[in-house]
Amino acid sequence: LTIGTPVIKDNEIVGGLFIGAATAEISSLSQEGLDILFIALGFGLFLAIGLGYFLSLNFSKPLTQASVAINKLTLGDYDIHFSQHRTDEIGQLTQNIVKLSDELEEAREAQANLEKMRQNFISDITHELRTPVTIMRGLVEGLKDGVYQPGTDVYNQIIQESVDMQRLINDLLELSKL
């Protein structure tokens, strides 16, 4: 294969330049170029797959942790912590999950406090109702056994205790309405 071009000086052709090469050399150069191209494509493909794998891990690992955290929340375990602190949407998701777990823990503590207060309230009311009933029972048994003689003092005391008990019951009804 030969390629030529004229050599021009002052608008006159003063000579010619010819370059010649054997087609076998051109063919080997083409083959070397293709070999380099395939090697570069293979390396680029390997690099793209490797980067894609590591980037997908970087993306999917926090989502997996978020899924595990949500499962823990549904089971009542509110102690949630994440190892990574990101500033993107996934980071916002993990921050919201942690905030939700804190609020659920506070709600559980508040519920436990309310339950304790309810139990204390029932215990106090039981005690307050038991006192007048015990006094009235003692007075009536005393009347029955002849310890007390029927008189106005005993009857007045029984009436007063029943009035106190009725007041407590009315207070309870008011509280239940509230």
Side-chain angles (χ1 to χ4, degrees):
L1 181 62
T2 306
I3 297 176
T5 185
V7 177
I8 300 173
K9 183 178 181 183
D10 295 328
N11 287 337
E12 277 187 38
I13 298 177
V14 290
L17 177 63
F18 293 94
I19 300 175
T23 53
E25 291 177 19
I26 293 174
S27 183
S28 79
L29 273 175
S30 305
Q31 188 61 41
E32 286 178 20
L34 286 175
D35 290 345
I36 291 171
L37 177 66
F38 287 131
I39 290 171
L41 281 174
F43 180 73
L45 185 62
F46 177 75
L47 185 65
I49 289 172
L51 284 175
Y53 175 74
F54 288 114
L55 288 176
S56 69
L57 282 181
N58 189 32
F59 181 73
S60 66
K61 185 178 178 183
L63 291 178
T64 303
Q65 288 178 341
S67 177
V68 168
I70 290 171
N71 288 337
K72 285 175 67 175
L73 288 175
T74 60
L75 295 174
D77 182 2
Y78 303 130
D79 187 27
I80 305 295
H81 301 287
F82 289 96
S83 59
Q84 295 178 340
H85 299 286
R86 300 168 58 128
T87 56
D88 59 359
E89 290 84 4
I90 295 173
Q92 291 173 349
L93 173 66
T94 57
Q95 288 174 358
N96 287 339
I97 290 172
V98 169
K99 183 178 178 183
L100 175 64
S101 72
D102 292 342
E103 289 175 2
L104 287 172
E105 180 65 30
E106 289 175 11
R108 179 170 59 181
E109 290 172 2
Q111 182 181 9
N113 287 340
L114 283 174
E115 179 63 21
K116 186 175 181 181
M117 288 171 53
R118 185 187 70 80
Q119 289 174 350
N120 289 341
F121 178 73
I122 289 172
S123 175
D124 291 345
I125 291 299
T126 303
H127 175 72
E128 291 295 323
L129 285 174
R130 188 176 288 151
T131 302
V133 168
T134 303
I135 292 172
M136 288 187 330
R137 182 177 176 186
L139 291 172
V140 170
E141 285 178 356
L143 283 172
K144 179 183 169 193
D145 293 340
V147 174
Y148 300 116
Q149 296 301 320
T152 58
D153 286 342
V154 173
Y155 295 129
N156 286 338
Q157 194 171 358
I158 292 173
I159 291 171
Q160 183 59 44
E161 293 299 329
S162 67
V163 167
D164 289 345
M165 191 166 59
Q166 186 176 10
R167 180 187 49 80
L168 286 171
I169 291 170
N170 287 338
D171 289 347
L172 276 175
L173 289 173
E174 289 290 320
L175 281 173
S176 69
K177 289 177 184 177
L178 293 176

